[in-house]
PDB file of all heavy atoms in Angstrom:
ATOM      1  N   ILE A  90      23.316  68.006  49.081  1.00 98.00           N
ATOM      2  CA  ILE A  90      24.123  68.715  50.074  1.00 98.00           C
ATOM      3  C   ILE A  90      23.374  69.939  50.581  1.00 98.00           C
ATOM      4  O   ILE A  90      23.355  70.231  51.786  1.00 98.00           O
ATOM      5  CB  ILE A  90      25.476  69.127  49.477  1.00 98.00           C
ATOM      6  CG1 ILE A  90      26.284  67.895  49.097  1.00 98.00           C
ATOM      7  CG2 ILE A  90      26.273  69.983  50.457  1.00 98.00           C
ATOM      8  CD1 ILE A  90      27.545  68.225  48.313  1.00 98.00           C
ATOM      9  N   ALA A  91      22.738  70.672  49.657  1.00 97.00           N
ATOM     10  CA  ALA A  91      21.992  71.872  50.052  1.00 97.00           C
ATOM     11  C   ALA A  91      20.861  71.520  51.011  1.00 97.00           C
ATOM     12  O   ALA A  91      20.623  72.226  51.998  1.00 97.00           O
ATOM     13  CB  ALA A  91      21.455  72.572  48.814  1.00 97.00           C
ATOM     14  N   ALA A  92      20.154  70.418  50.720  1.00 97.00           N
ATOM     15  CA  ALA A  92      19.059  70.002  51.597  1.00 97.00           C
ATOM     16  C   ALA A  92      19.582  69.590  52.971  1.00 97.00           C
ATOM     17  O   ALA A  92      18.998  69.949  54.007  1.00 97.00           O
ATOM     18  CB  ALA A  92      18.292  68.848  50.947  1.00 97.00           C
ATOM     19  N   ALA A  93      20.699  68.854  52.990  1.00 97.00           N
ATOM     20  CA  ALA A  93      21.259  68.406  54.265  1.00 97.00           C
ATOM     21  C   ALA A  93      21.776  69.570  55.101  1.00 97.00           C
ATOM     22  O   ALA A  93      21.652  69.571  56.333  1.00 97.00           O
ATOM     23  CB  ALA A  93      22.378  67.397  54.012  1.00 97.00           C
ATOM     24  N   ASP A  94      22.347  70.571  54.426  1.00 97.00           N
ATOM     25  CA  ASP A  94      22.925  71.708  55.151  1.00 97.00           C
ATOM     26  C   ASP A  94      21.919  72.824  55.408  1.00 97.00           C
ATOM     27  O   ASP A  94      22.208  73.751  56.174  1.00 97.00           O
ATOM     28  CB  ASP A  94      24.100  72.301  54.354  1.00 97.00           C
ATOM     29  CG  ASP A  94      25.280  71.346  54.242  1.00 97.00           C
ATOM     30  OD1 ASP A  94      25.275  70.332  54.957  1.00 97.00           O
ATOM     31  OD2 ASP A  94      26.193  71.628  53.437  1.00 97.00           O
ATOM     32  N   GLY A  95      20.760  72.769  54.735  1.00 96.00           N
ATOM     33  CA  GLY A  95      19.810  73.863  54.861  1.00 96.00           C
ATOM     34  C   GLY A  95      20.327  75.155  54.254  1.00 96.00           C
ATOM     35  O   GLY A  95      20.053  76.247  54.742  1.00 96.00           O
ATOM     36  N   GLU A  96      21.118  75.029  53.154  1.00 95.00           N
ATOM     37  CA  GLU A  96      21.741  76.177  52.494  1.00 95.00           C
ATOM     38  C   GLU A  96      21.358  76.200  51.015  1.00 95.00           C
ATOM     39  O   GLU A  96      21.104  75.154  50.414  1.00 95.00           O
ATOM     40  CB  GLU A  96      23.270  76.110  52.606  1.00 95.00           C
ATOM     41  CG  GLU A  96      23.812  76.245  54.023  1.00 95.00           C
ATOM     42  CD  GLU A  96      23.881  77.694  54.476  1.00 95.00           C
ATOM     43  OE1 GLU A  96      23.419  78.589  53.738  1.00 95.00           O
ATOM     44  OE2 GLU A  96      24.391  77.930  55.584  1.00 95.00           O
ATOM     45  N   ASN A  97      21.355  77.404  50.435  1.00 94.00           N
ATOM     46  CA  ASN A  97      21.069  77.534  49.001  1.00 94.00           C
ATOM     47  C   ASN A  97      22.374  77.450  48.213  1.00 94.00           C
ATOM     48  O   ASN A  97      22.771  78.372  47.516  1.00 94.00           O
ATOM     49  CB  ASN A  97      20.335  78.851  48.716  1.00 94.00           C
ATOM     50  CG  ASN A  97      21.107  80.079  49.186  1.00 94.00           C
ATOM     51  OD1 ASN A  97      21.973  79.994  50.058  1.00 94.00           O
ATOM     52  ND2 ASN A  97      20.800  81.232  48.628  1.00 94.00           N
ATOM     53  N   TRP A  98      23.051  76.295  48.292  1.00 96.00           N
ATOM     54  CA  TRP A  98      24.371  76.139  47.687  1.00 96.00           C
ATOM     55  C   TRP A  98      24.300  76.218  46.157  1.00 96.00           C
ATOM     56  O   TRP A  98      23.406  75.663  45.529  1.00 96.00           O
ATOM     57  CB  TRP A  98      24.999  74.803  48.070  1.00 96.00           C
ATOM     58  CG  TRP A  98      25.439  74.645  49.495  1.00 96.00           C
ATOM     59  CD1 TRP A  98      25.145  73.593  50.315  1.00 96.00           C
ATOM     60  CD2 TRP A  98      26.261  75.529  50.254  1.00 96.00           C
ATOM     61  NE1 TRP A  98      25.727  73.761  51.541  1.00 96.00           N
ATOM     62  CE2 TRP A  98      26.428  74.945  51.534  1.00 96.00           C
ATOM     63  CE3 TRP A  98      26.870  76.747  50.002  1.00 96.00           C
ATOM     64  CZ2 TRP A  98      27.168  75.547  52.542  1.00 96.00           C
ATOM     65  CZ3 TRP A  98      27.616  77.352  51.009  1.00 96.00           C
ATOM     66  CH2 TRP A  98      27.763  76.758  52.254  1.00 96.00           C
ATOM     67  N   VAL A  99      25.295  76.893  45.592  1.00 95.00           N
ATOM     68  CA  VAL A  99      25.511  76.933  44.152  1.00 95.00           C
ATOM     69  C   VAL A  99      26.930  76.441  43.881  1.00 95.00           C
ATOM     70  O   VAL A  99      27.880  76.876  44.551  1.00 95.00           O
ATOM     71  CB  VAL A  99      25.327  78.363  43.588  1.00 95.00           C
ATOM     72  CG1 VAL A  99      25.673  78.408  42.105  1.00 95.00           C
ATOM     73  CG2 VAL A  99      23.898  78.837  43.816  1.00 95.00           C
ATOM     74  N   TRP A 100      27.060  75.549  42.922  1.00 97.00           N
ATOM     75  CA  TRP A 100      28.371  74.981  42.577  1.00 97.00           C
ATOM     76  C   TRP A 100      29.306  76.078  42.077  1.00 97.00           C
ATOM     77  O   TRP A 100      28.952  76.878  41.222  1.00 97.00           O
ATOM     78  CB  TRP A 100      28.194  73.918  41.512  1.00 97.00           C
ATOM     79  CG  TRP A 100      29.472  73.275  41.019  1.00 97.00           C
ATOM     80  CD1 TRP A 100      30.125  73.555  39.864  1.00 97.00           C
ATOM     81  CD2 TRP A 100      30.213  72.232  41.659  1.00 97.00           C
ATOM     82  NE1 TRP A 100      31.243  72.753  39.730  1.00 97.00           N
ATOM     83  CE2 TRP A 100      31.326  71.929  40.819  1.00 97.00           C
ATOM     84  CE3 TRP A 100      30.060  71.524  42.841  1.00 97.00           C
ATOM     85  CZ2 TRP A 100      32.249  70.952  41.143  1.00 97.00           C
ATOM     86  CZ3 TRP A 100      30.991  70.542  43.154  1.00 97.00           C
ATOM     87  CH2 TRP A 100      32.067  70.270  42.325  1.00 97.00           C
ATOM     88  N   ALA A 101      30.527  76.120  42.614  1.00 97.00           N
ATOM     89  CA  ALA A 101      31.507  77.129  42.204  1.00 97.00           C
ATOM     90  C   ALA A 101      32.799  76.510  41.699  1.00 97.00           C
ATOM     91  O   ALA A 101      33.769  77.230  41.446  1.00 97.00           O
ATOM     92  CB  ALA A 101      31.800  78.087  43.357  1.00 97.00           C
ATOM     93  N   GLY A 102      32.837  75.172  41.548  1.00 97.00           N
ATOM     94  CA  GLY A 102      34.005  74.538  40.947  1.00 97.00           C
ATOM     95  C   GLY A 102      34.797  73.692  41.915  1.00 97.00           C
ATOM     96  O   GLY A 102      34.505  73.624  43.114  1.00 97.00           O
ATOM     97  N   ALA A 103      35.822  73.039  41.370  1.00 98.00           N
ATOM     98  CA  ALA A 103      36.667  72.155  42.166  1.00 98.00           C
ATOM     99  C   ALA A 103      38.105  72.249  41.682  1.00 98.00           C
ATOM    100  O   ALA A 103      38.363  72.201  40.471  1.00 98.00           O
ATOM    101  CB  ALA A 103      36.180  70.706  42.082  1.00 98.00           C
ATOM    102  N   GLU A 104      39.035  72.386  42.594  1.00 97.00           N
ATOM    103  CA  GLU A 104      40.469  72.374  42.304  1.00 97.00           C
ATOM    104  C   GLU A 104      40.972  70.970  42.612  1.00 97.00           C
ATOM    105  O   GLU A 104      40.958  70.526  43.771  1.00 97.00           O
ATOM    106  CB  GLU A 104      41.182  73.418  43.172  1.00 97.00           C
ATOM    107  CG  GLU A 104      42.686  73.418  43.061  1.00 97.00           C
ATOM    108  CD  GLU A 104      43.194  73.979  41.742  1.00 97.00           C
ATOM    109  OE1 GLU A 104      42.408  74.634  41.033  1.00 97.00           O
ATOM    110  OE2 GLU A 104      44.376  73.761  41.421  1.00 97.00           O
ATOM    111  N   VAL A 105      41.404  70.240  41.583  1.00 97.00           N
ATOM    112  CA  VAL A 105      41.756  68.829  41.735  1.00 97.00           C
ATOM    113  C   VAL A 105      43.272  68.673  41.799  1.00 97.00           C
ATOM    114  O   VAL A 105      44.009  69.312  41.036  1.00 97.00           O
ATOM    115  CB  VAL A 105      41.176  68.001  40.575  1.00 97.00           C
ATOM    116  CG1 VAL A 105      41.524  66.524  40.735  1.00 97.00           C
ATOM    117  CG2 VAL A 105      39.657  68.179  40.510  1.00 97.00           C
ATOM    118  N   LEU A 106      43.719  67.850  42.711  1.00 97.00           N
ATOM    119  CA  LEU A 106      45.145  67.580  42.892  1.00 97.00           C
ATOM    120  C   LEU A 106      45.725  66.913  41.649  1.00 97.00           C
ATOM    121  O   LEU A 106      45.186  65.917  41.157  1.00 97.00           O
ATOM    122  CB  LEU A 106      45.348  66.675  44.116  1.00 97.00           C
ATOM    123  CG  LEU A 106      46.779  66.211  44.407  1.00 97.00           C
ATOM    124  CD1 LEU A 106      47.671  67.388  44.794  1.00 97.00           C
ATOM    125  CD2 LEU A 106      46.779  65.153  45.517  1.00 97.00           C
ATOM    126  N   GLU A 107      46.815  67.461  41.140  1.00 94.00           N
ATOM    127  CA  GLU A 107      47.505  66.882  39.985  1.00 94.00           C
ATOM    128  C   GLU A 107      48.885  66.406  40.414  1.00 94.00           C
ATOM    129  O   GLU A 107      49.462  66.912  41.371  1.00 94.00           O
ATOM    130  CB  GLU A 107      47.624  67.934  38.871  1.00 94.00           C
ATOM    131  CG  GLU A 107      46.282  68.404  38.326  1.00 94.00           C
ATOM    132  CD  GLU A 107      46.424  69.443  37.225  1.00 94.00           C
ATOM    133  OE1 GLU A 107      47.571  69.727  36.809  1.00 94.00           O
ATOM    134  OE2 GLU A 107      45.410  69.980  36.792  1.00 94.00           O
ATOM    135  N   PRO A 108      49.437  65.387  39.748  1.00 92.00           N
ATOM    136  CA  PRO A 108      48.876  64.713  38.561  1.00 92.00           C
ATOM    137  C   PRO A 108      48.112  63.433  38.852  1.00 92.00           C
ATOM    138  O   PRO A 108      47.752  62.723  37.918  1.00 92.00           O
ATOM    139  CB  PRO A 108      50.139  64.401  37.748  1.00 92.00           C
ATOM    140  CG  PRO A 108      51.190  64.149  38.786  1.00 92.00           C
ATOM    141  CD  PRO A 108      50.862  65.057  39.935  1.00 92.00           C
ATOM    142  N   ASP A 109      47.854  63.109  40.165  1.00 93.00           N
ATOM    143  CA  ASP A 109      47.175  61.824  40.405  1.00 93.00           C
ATOM    144  C   ASP A 109      45.660  61.966  40.572  1.00 93.00           C
ATOM    145  O   ASP A 109      44.946  60.962  40.598  1.00 93.00           O
ATOM    146  CB  ASP A 109      47.781  61.114  41.621  1.00 93.00           C
ATOM    147  CG  ASP A 109      47.487  61.812  42.941  1.00 93.00           C
ATOM    148  OD1 ASP A 109      46.796  62.857  42.934  1.00 93.00           O
ATOM    149  OD2 ASP A 109      47.941  61.322  43.988  1.00 93.00           O
ATOM    150  N   PHE A 110      45.132  63.204  40.684  1.00 96.00           N
ATOM    151  CA  PHE A 110      43.699  63.464  40.691  1.00 96.00           C
ATOM    152  C   PHE A 110      42.972  62.676  41.779  1.00 96.00           C
ATOM    153  O   PHE A 110      41.855  62.210  41.585  1.00 96.00           O
ATOM    154  CB  PHE A 110      43.089  63.149  39.313  1.00 96.00           C
ATOM    155  CG  PHE A 110      43.803  63.827  38.176  1.00 96.00           C
ATOM    156  CD1 PHE A 110      44.722  63.122  37.396  1.00 96.00           C
ATOM    157  CD2 PHE A 110      43.590  65.159  37.904  1.00 96.00           C
ATOM    158  CE1 PHE A 110      45.392  63.748  36.358  1.00 96.00           C
ATOM    159  CE2 PHE A 110      44.262  65.786  36.872  1.00 96.00           C
ATOM    160  CZ  PHE A 110      45.165  65.086  36.093  1.00 96.00           C
ATOM    161  N   SER A 111      43.581  62.583  42.950  1.00 97.00           N
ATOM    162  CA  SER A 111      43.012  61.784  44.029  1.00 97.00           C
ATOM    163  C   SER A 111      42.191  62.599  45.018  1.00 97.00           C
ATOM    164  O   SER A 111      41.380  62.034  45.766  1.00 97.00           O
ATOM    165  CB  SER A 111      44.129  61.057  44.787  1.00 97.00           C
ATOM    166  OG  SER A 111      45.048  62.002  45.333  1.00 97.00           O
ATOM    167  N   LEU A 112      42.398  63.922  45.058  1.00 98.00           N
ATOM    168  CA  LEU A 112      41.698  64.787  46.002  1.00 98.00           C
ATOM    169  C   LEU A 112      41.228  66.045  45.280  1.00 98.00           C
ATOM    170  O   LEU A 112      41.777  66.419  44.236  1.00 98.00           O
ATOM    171  CB  LEU A 112      42.611  65.186  47.167  1.00 98.00           C
ATOM    172  CG  LEU A 112      43.110  64.075  48.086  1.00 98.00           C
ATOM    173  CD1 LEU A 112      44.221  64.593  48.996  1.00 98.00           C
ATOM    174  CD2 LEU A 112      41.950  63.519  48.930  1.00 98.00           C
ATOM    175  N   ALA A 113      40.229  66.683  45.863  1.00 98.00           N
ATOM    176  CA  ALA A 113      39.725  67.934  45.289  1.00 98.00           C
ATOM    177  C   ALA A 113      39.389  68.907  46.400  1.00 98.00           C
ATOM    178  O   ALA A 113      39.026  68.505  47.513  1.00 98.00           O
ATOM    179  CB  ALA A 113      38.498  67.678  44.419  1.00 98.00           C
ATOM    180  N   LEU A 114      39.506  70.184  46.097  1.00 98.00           N
ATOM    181  CA  LEU A 114      39.022  71.251  46.962  1.00 98.00           C
ATOM    182  C   LEU A 114      37.770  71.807  46.294  1.00 98.00           C
ATOM    183  O   LEU A 114      37.846  72.484  45.274  1.00 98.00           O
ATOM    184  CB  LEU A 114      40.079  72.342  47.137  1.00 98.00           C
ATOM    185  CG  LEU A 114      41.379  71.886  47.812  1.00 98.00           C
ATOM    186  CD1 LEU A 114      42.465  72.945  47.676  1.00 98.00           C
ATOM    187  CD2 LEU A 114      41.123  71.576  49.289  1.00 98.00           C
ATOM    188  N   VAL A 115      36.612  71.477  46.853  1.00 98.00           N
ATOM    189  CA  VAL A 115      35.324  71.827  46.263  1.00 98.00           C
ATOM    190  C   VAL A 115      34.859  73.163  46.829  1.00 98.00           C
ATOM    191  O   VAL A 115      34.915  73.394  48.045  1.00 98.00           O
ATOM    192  CB  VAL A 115      34.290  70.725  46.553  1.00 98.00           C
ATOM    193  CG1 VAL A 115      32.891  71.168  46.159  1.00 98.00           C
ATOM    194  CG2 VAL A 115      34.675  69.445  45.824  1.00 98.00           C
ATOM    195  N   GLU A 116      34.385  74.042  45.951  1.00 98.00           N
ATOM    196  CA  GLU A 116      33.894  75.351  46.369  1.00 98.00           C
ATOM    197  C   GLU A 116      32.385  75.432  46.149  1.00 98.00           C
ATOM    198  O   GLU A 116      31.885  75.100  45.077  1.00 98.00           O
ATOM    199  CB  GLU A 116      34.593  76.468  45.598  1.00 98.00           C
ATOM    200  CG  GLU A 116      36.097  76.532  45.878  1.00 98.00           C
ATOM    201  CD  GLU A 116      36.744  77.778  45.296  1.00 98.00           C
ATOM    202  OE1 GLU A 116      36.309  78.890  45.645  1.00 98.00           O
ATOM    203  OE2 GLU A 116      37.658  77.620  44.474  1.00 98.00           O
ATOM    204  N   LEU A 117      31.689  75.881  47.182  1.00 98.00           N
ATOM    205  CA  LEU A 117      30.247  76.074  47.139  1.00 98.00           C
ATOM    206  C   LEU A 117      29.928  77.503  47.549  1.00 98.00           C
ATOM    207  O   LEU A 117      30.524  78.042  48.479  1.00 98.00           O
ATOM    208  CB  LEU A 117      29.541  75.096  48.083  1.00 98.00           C
ATOM    209  CG  LEU A 117      29.735  73.608  47.785  1.00 98.00           C
ATOM    210  CD1 LEU A 117      29.191  72.767  48.931  1.00 98.00           C
ATOM    211  CD2 LEU A 117      29.050  73.228  46.476  1.00 98.00           C
ATOM    212  N   SER A 118      28.980  78.089  46.829  1.00 96.00           N
ATOM    213  CA  SER A 118      28.629  79.494  47.047  1.00 96.00           C
ATOM    214  C   SER A 118      27.192  79.594  47.536  1.00 96.00           C
ATOM    215  O   SER A 118      26.311  78.883  47.059  1.00 96.00           O
ATOM    216  CB  SER A 118      28.789  80.272  45.735  1.00 96.00           C
ATOM    217  OG  SER A 118      28.039  81.452  45.745  1.00 96.00           O
ATOM    218  N   ARG A 119      26.963  80.477  48.492  1.00 94.00           N
ATOM    219  CA  ARG A 119      25.593  80.741  48.932  1.00 94.00           C
ATOM    220  C   ARG A 119      24.918  81.670  47.924  1.00 94.00           C
ATOM    221  O   ARG A 119      25.318  82.821  47.777  1.00 94.00           O
ATOM    222  CB  ARG A 119      25.575  81.363  50.322  1.00 94.00           C
ATOM    223  CG  ARG A 119      25.942  80.396  51.441  1.00 94.00           C
ATOM    224  CD  ARG A 119      25.809  81.044  52.810  1.00 94.00           C
ATOM    225  NE  ARG A 119      26.037  80.080  53.878  1.00 94.00           N
ATOM    226  CZ  ARG A 119      27.236  79.803  54.407  1.00 94.00           C
ATOM    227  NH1 ARG A 119      28.315  80.450  53.959  1.00 94.00           N
ATOM    228  NH2 ARG A 119      27.358  78.908  55.362  1.00 94.00           N
ATOM    229  N   GLY A 120      23.951  81.135  47.214  1.00 91.00           N
ATOM    230  CA  GLY A 120      23.157  81.949  46.316  1.00 91.00           C
ATOM    231  C   GLY A 120      23.876  82.443  45.084  1.00 91.00           C
ATOM    232  O   GLY A 120      23.378  83.325  44.388  1.00 91.00           O
ATOM    233  N   GLY A 121      25.063  81.912  44.778  1.00 91.00           N
ATOM    234  CA  GLY A 121      25.770  82.312  43.569  1.00 91.00           C
ATOM    235  C   GLY A 121      26.756  83.444  43.756  1.00 91.00           C
ATOM    236  O   GLY A 121      27.282  83.978  42.778  1.00 91.00           O
ATOM    237  N   ALA A 122      27.035  83.833  44.997  1.00 92.00           N
ATOM    238  CA  ALA A 122      27.996  84.906  45.251  1.00 92.00           C
ATOM    239  C   ALA A 122      29.400  84.467  44.863  1.00 92.00           C
ATOM    240  O   ALA A 122      29.692  83.277  44.718  1.00 92.00           O
ATOM    241  CB  ALA A 122      27.957  85.302  46.732  1.00 92.00           C
ATOM    242  N   ASP A 123      30.302  85.452  44.703  1.00 94.00           N
ATOM    243  CA  ASP A 123      31.703  85.122  44.431  1.00 94.00           C
ATOM    244  C   ASP A 123      32.361  84.471  45.642  1.00 94.00           C
ATOM    245  O   ASP A 123      33.249  83.627  45.497  1.00 94.00           O
ATOM    246  CB  ASP A 123      32.483  86.391  44.062  1.00 94.00           C
ATOM    247  CG  ASP A 123      32.178  86.868  42.653  1.00 94.00           C
ATOM    248  OD1 ASP A 123      31.439  86.171  41.928  1.00 94.00           O
ATOM    249  OD2 ASP A 123      32.671  87.943  42.273  1.00 94.00           O
ATOM    250  N   ALA A 124      31.968  84.874  46.836  1.00 96.00           N
ATOM    251  CA  ALA A 124      32.511  84.266  48.051  1.00 96.00           C
ATOM    252  C   ALA A 124      32.043  82.815  48.153  1.00 96.00           C
ATOM    253  O   ALA A 124      30.894  82.491  47.861  1.00 96.00           O
ATOM    254  CB  ALA A 124      32.073  85.055  49.279  1.00 96.00           C
ATOM    255  N   THR A 125      32.947  81.933  48.566  1.00 97.00           N
ATOM    256  CA  THR A 125      32.637  80.511  48.638  1.00 97.00           C
ATOM    257  C   THR A 125      33.127  79.914  49.946  1.00 97.00           C
ATOM    258  O   THR A 125      33.972  80.480  50.635  1.00 97.00           O
ATOM    259  CB  THR A 125      33.305  79.737  47.483  1.00 97.00           C
ATOM    260  OG1 THR A 125      34.737  79.848  47.610  1.00 97.00           O
ATOM    261  CG2 THR A 125      32.869  80.273  46.126  1.00 97.00           C
ATOM    262  N   VAL A 126      32.577  78.741  50.275  1.00 98.00           N
ATOM    263  CA  VAL A 126      33.177  77.884  51.285  1.00 98.00           C
ATOM    264  C   VAL A 126      33.964  76.812  50.548  1.00 98.00           C
ATOM    265  O   VAL A 126      33.654  76.475  49.404  1.00 98.00           O
ATOM    266  CB  VAL A 126      32.134  77.250  52.226  1.00 98.00           C
ATOM    267  CG1 VAL A 126      31.329  78.323  52.933  1.00 98.00           C
ATOM    268  CG2 VAL A 126      31.218  76.307  51.465  1.00 98.00           C
ATOM    269  N   VAL A 127      34.999  76.270  51.191  1.00 98.00           N
ATOM    270  CA  VAL A 127      35.864  75.264  50.574  1.00 98.00           C
ATOM    271  C   VAL A 127      35.859  74.016  51.441  1.00 98.00           C
ATOM    272  O   VAL A 127      36.005  74.104  52.673  1.00 98.00           O
ATOM    273  CB  VAL A 127      37.302  75.789  50.408  1.00 98.00           C
ATOM    274  CG1 VAL A 127      38.199  74.712  49.789  1.00 98.00           C
ATOM    275  CG2 VAL A 127      37.316  77.052  49.542  1.00 98.00           C
ATOM    276  N   ARG A 128      35.694  72.850  50.786  1.00 98.00           N
ATOM    277  CA  ARG A 128      35.721  71.580  51.504  1.00 98.00           C
ATOM    278  C   ARG A 128      36.570  70.582  50.719  1.00 98.00           C
ATOM    279  O   ARG A 128      36.445  70.483  49.492  1.00 98.00           O
ATOM    280  CB  ARG A 128      34.307  71.004  51.664  1.00 98.00           C
ATOM    281  CG  ARG A 128      33.348  71.874  52.458  1.00 98.00           C
ATOM    282  CD  ARG A 128      31.966  71.235  52.496  1.00 98.00           C
ATOM    283  NE  ARG A 128      31.014  72.039  53.226  1.00 98.00           N
ATOM    284  CZ  ARG A 128      29.717  71.753  53.337  1.00 98.00           C
ATOM    285  NH1 ARG A 128      29.240  70.666  52.734  1.00 98.00           N
ATOM    286  NH2 ARG A 128      28.911  72.537  54.019  1.00 98.00           N
ATOM    287  N   GLU A 129      37.360  69.809  51.426  1.00 98.00           N
ATOM    288  CA  GLU A 129      38.173  68.780  50.772  1.00 98.00           C
ATOM    289  C   GLU A 129      37.325  67.557  50.464  1.00 98.00           C
ATOM    290  O   GLU A 129      36.508  67.118  51.289  1.00 98.00           O
ATOM    291  CB  GLU A 129      39.349  68.394  51.670  1.00 98.00           C
ATOM    292  CG  GLU A 129      40.302  67.412  51.000  1.00 98.00           C
ATOM    293  CD  GLU A 129      41.494  67.054  51.885  1.00 98.00           C
ATOM    294  OE1 GLU A 129      41.575  67.587  53.009  1.00 98.00           O
ATOM    295  OE2 GLU A 129      42.324  66.239  51.443  1.00 98.00           O
ATOM    296  N   PHE A 130      37.564  66.995  49.267  1.00 98.00           N
ATOM    297  CA  PHE A 130      36.764  65.873  48.782  1.00 98.00           C
ATOM    298  C   PHE A 130      37.693  64.778  48.296  1.00 98.00           C
ATOM    299  O   PHE A 130      38.661  65.038  47.569  1.00 98.00           O
ATOM    300  CB  PHE A 130      35.860  66.346  47.642  1.00 98.00           C
ATOM    301  CG  PHE A 130      34.926  65.308  47.101  1.00 98.00           C
ATOM    302  CD1 PHE A 130      33.759  65.001  47.776  1.00 98.00           C
ATOM    303  CD2 PHE A 130      35.207  64.648  45.907  1.00 98.00           C
ATOM    304  CE1 PHE A 130      32.878  64.054  47.255  1.00 98.00           C
ATOM    305  CE2 PHE A 130      34.338  63.708  45.385  1.00 98.00           C
ATOM    306  CZ  PHE A 130      33.168  63.403  46.074  1.00 98.00           C
TER     307      PHE A 130
END
């Protein structure tokens, strides 16, 4: 993903829909900062 986006993405976790675990809100951080972008997965 980092190569495709040209970004220094650092994994910041995922919030997964419960209780069926069918979707996630994935957080990616530029360079490890606390601020993140969020994408649905």
Side-chain angles (χ1 to χ4, degrees):
I90 296 172
D94 294 348
E96 294 279 5
N97 57 338
W98 290 131
V99 175
W100 178 259
E104 175 72 16
V105 181
L106 176 66
E107 297 180 5
D109 69 1
F110 308 100
S111 59
L112 296 168
L114 298 168
V115 170
E116 296 190 57
L117 299 170
S118 159
R119 288 184 175 89
D123 285 355
T125 63
V126 301
V127 179
R128 299 177 181 176
E129 185 179 359
F130 183 79

